[in-house]
Amino acid sequence: MTTKRNIVVTGGCGFIGRNLVNGFADAGHKVTVLDFGGSAFRDDVRFININICDKAALIDACQGADTIVHNASIVHTKHNQEAAVWAVNYDGTLNIMEACVANKIPRLVYISSASAVYEGKDIEYGDETLPYSSISQAPYADSKIKAEKAVLAFSGTTLTQVCAIRPHVVFGEGDNRFLPAILEKIANGSLTRAVGNRDKLSDFTYISNMVDAVLAAEENLVAGSPVCGQAYFVTNGEPMAFFDFVEKIAVELGHPPITKKVPFWLAYTAAAIMEGLDTLKGGTLNSENGMTRFAIRYMVTHHYYSIEKAYRDFGWKPKVNLEQGIKLTVGAHHKNGGALDTAQKLPA
């Protein structure tokens, strides 16, 4: 019988965080959500409005926790707003570690990113032996890399054992970023061209598969376990060309296939111009629309990963395949009256 624990989830009111909260609460754990500006969405969960950059308040809020699932971050792939991104993604993570020490919290699961190893080049069935990216590509990727290095080095130095989960392109009901951007482009008629030749494959992760992986990793995160101090790629394990995936969603929604294409150099140039204009305006957070140099480069390179280590170390495999995930997501879209965005767009 699984021991019920006190679980703290940071960033628990966004898309991924909300699903993690539901997963742990439904499993019978006592859950506390830490989120900045978020609002309660279930009666059996405690919600605290807090900025993880406030170290004293964070330490106080984490008292009595058995596990912290650190999900809060700012996803920002433009080359601006660096200070804000680093303050949450890296400094906030250091504060989480201090909260673990101060409160003697035995488990910390860090929600990282597959971007930690991406250098703008092809990755085909990459595994966890890949080195961290050695080049700077965006504040988000850079800050997540440094934060992951810090938490994994922290594992076992005190009472706290740590692991990192690296998902890639998470989608599903309640998505407030990736799929809404796709749907907006479909609605305004701008999603008619693929970037490049659609011959490069990407990984995608259906949300419930990611939640299952985090729950399984947390369950196994005890001293002496192979999970301690390790990072894990978590995806559906079904690589597909990015625009093939997008097209499947469009067709499922009753729209025509994507038959035209635009060359990489043109899309990349347009993204650079848009980033430059955004920077001149001061840089806008939480407005990812796929038109950044980082995102465009992703579309024309292989980036898919082996998920064997997660299966070997904590017995996880995805239960929902990609086709099922797309149908479930589109079904939720129809059920919600055409609104996939059921969660708030919050940075932390």
Side-chain angles (χ1 to χ4, degrees):
M1 182 176 177
T2 301
T3 302
K4 305 309 178 186
R5 291 178 290 282
N6 294 324
I7 311 288
V8 168
V9 180
T10 69
C13 293
F15 166 47
I16 291 175
R18 188 185 186 101
N19 280 276
L20 289 171
V21 169
N22 287 335
F24 279 105
D26 290 347
H29 298 290
K30 183 178 179 181
V31 180
T32 297
V33 172
L34 307 184
D35 208 313
F36 189 37
S39 58
F41 55 85
R42 52 187 294 167
D43 295 335
D44 58 345
V45 169
R46 180 185 179 211
F47 291 83
I48 302 177
N49 184 7
I50 192 173
N51 187 334
I52 62 170
C53 296
D54 185 341
K55 181 165 63 177
L58 180 66
I59 290 173
D60 183 63
C62 291
Q63 290 183 29
D66 299 308
T67 302
I68 296 179
V69 178
H70 180 33
N71 168 69
S73 69
I74 294 178
V75 180
H76 186 73
T77 61
K78 302 170 189 174
H79 287 268
N80 54 41
Q81 289 283 0
E82 287 90 347
V85 174
W86 279 89
V88 172
N89 293 2
Y90 179 63
D91 296 339
T93 301
L94 297 184
N95 291 343
I96 290 290
M97 292 160 56
E98 293 210 29
C100 287
V101 174
N103 293 303
K104 296 182 172 57
I105 298 171
R107 308 181 197 212
L108 169 59
V109 180
Y110 177 63
I111 307 303
S112 187
S113 169
S115 299
V117 300
Y118 182 67
E119 292 189 322
K121 302 174 183 177
D122 287 343
I123 297 176
E124 301 177 65
Y125 285 116
D127 64 19
E128 291 82 358
T129 63
L130 286 171
Y132 289 107
S133 173
S134 61
I135 62 174
S136 176
Q137 297 194 87
Y140 171 70
D142 296 348
S143 59
K144 294 293 281 187
I145 289 169
K146 192 168 183 180
E148 184 184 291
K149 287 180 178 179
V151 295
L152 293 183
F154 171 65
S155 183
T157 59
T158 62
L159 175 69
T160 309
Q161 301 295 337
V162 186
C163 71
I165 302 297
R166 296 172 174 173
H168 192 269
V169 190
V170 185
F171 73 100
E173 181 180 3
D175 179 1
N176 61 350
R177 189 181 303 274
F178 175 58
L179 284 175
I182 292 174
L183 294 174
E184 182 181 355
K185 292 180 184 300
I186 290 173
N188 64 26
S190 62
L191 191 61
T192 59
R193 298 175 184 271
V195 177
N197 295 322
R198 295 170 68 165
D199 58 344
K200 299 293 186 176
L201 305 181
S202 173
D203 263 330
F204 302 87
T205 314
Y206 185 64
I207 183 62
S208 69
N209 292 331
M210 179 186 168
V211 171
D212 289 345
V214 174
L215 264 68
E218 190 274 339
E219 177 74 22
N220 286 274
L221 193 56
V222 294
S225 165
V227 178
C228 299
Q230 297 298 307
Y232 296 92
F233 289 116
V234 166
T235 76
N236 260 60
E238 302 171 83
M240 177 183 294
F242 179 83
F243 280 96
D244 286 357
F245 176 82
V246 171
E247 183 178 79
K248 283 181 178 293
I249 294 172
V251 170
E252 193 73 23
L253 287 167
H255 297 277
I258 301 170
T259 57
K260 301 176 183 178
K261 69 177 182 179
V262 61
F264 164 73
W265 68 265
L266 183 58
Y268 191 82
T269 301
I273 292 171
M274 291 182 68
E275 275 192 65
L277 293 173
D278 185 69
T279 299
L280 289 174
K281 293 187 295 183
T284 51
L285 292 173
N286 291 319
S287 62
E288 298 290 302
N289 62 2
M291 283 303 292
T292 67
R293 286 169 288 174
F294 184 84
I296 295 298
R297 193 181 291 113
Y298 247 36
M299 296 173 189
V300 295
T301 52
H302 288 301
H303 43 102
Y304 54 95
Y305 306 89
S306 168
I307 55 176
E308 288 304 310
K309 183 179 177 183
Y311 176 67
R312 182 179 71 241
D313 286 2
F314 52 89
W316 170 82
K317 279 188 175 181
K319 296 176 182 176
V320 179
N321 67 36
L322 210 52
E323 292 284 350
Q324 291 170 328
I326 290 171
K327 289 184 181 297
L328 287 169
T329 302
V330 172
H333 171 71
H334 289 313
K335 182 180 177 182
N336 293 330
L340 272 173
D341 187 3
T342 59
Q344 296 184 39
K345 189 179 293 184
L346 300 170

